[in-house]
Amino acid sequence: MKSIVITGTSTGIGYACSKLFIEKGYKVFGSVRNDNDANRVSNELGSNFVPLIFDVTDETAVKESVKEVENQIGDQKLSGLINNAGLGVMGTIQSLSAEQFKYQFDVNVLGVFHCCQAYLDL
């Protein structure tokens, strides 16, 4: 069975991608940020969805998630990684705080970097 990792699978595009890949016969390892989302998405998408609980801004947690994927796929390689997790902080540059802008950067840029770096060997 082909496997893929998708970040940000709780809602929206990540959820829809997960559903589509499962329909196409893939095992989807999907990142969510909490147990409630893990349980809900698992119940909705079935046994070919494996939740990975981490925030893409947490480099250590991202690296830990690789171990779980490796344990499940064994000697196989991933068919892909979809870096979907992201957010937009709304407002003009004058109204955003540096903390808000940094958080957006951490999720949308560093999160992609963390995931690519961690999963590249798979």
Side-chain angles (χ1 to χ4, degrees), residues 6-7 14 26 28 63-64 75 80 97 100 103 106 119:
I6 304 174
T7 64
Y26 283 74
V28 173
K63 288 179 179 177
E64 286 295 315
D75 293 336
S97 69
Q100 289 171 309
Y103 180 64
D106 287 349
Y119 279 98

Side-chain angles (χ1 to χ4, degrees), residues 1-4 6 16-29 45-50 73 76-77 79:
M1 174 179 281
K2 292 181 179 180
S3 299
I4 191 165
I6 304 174
C17 286
S18 297
K19 186 175 181 180
L20 179 64
F21 273 95
I22 289 168
E23 289 171 359
K24 298 293 182 184
Y26 283 74
K27 176 172 268 196
V28 173
F29 295 92
L45 297 184
S47 62
N48 282 339
F49 178 82
V50 178
I73 67 173
Q76 294 180 341
K77 294 291 183 185
S79 295

Side-chain angles (χ1 to χ4, degrees), residues 6-10 30-35 37 51-66 83-87 102-116 118-119:
I6 304 174
T7 64
T9 60
S10 300
S31 80
V32 296
R33 292 188 296 163
N34 60 60
D35 289 328
D37 286 341
L52 302 170
I53 301 174
F54 66 84
D55 185 315
V56 296
T57 64
D58 184 343
E59 183 178 9
T60 301
V62 171
K63 288 179 179 177
E64 286 295 315
S65 73
V66 173
N83 283 296
N84 168 73
L87 57 88
K102 183 183 179 313
Y103 180 64
Q104 180 174 261
F105 184 87
D106 287 349
V107 172
N108 296 347
V109 179
L110 288 178
V112 171
F113 174 78
H114 295 320
C115 292
C116 286
Y119 279 98

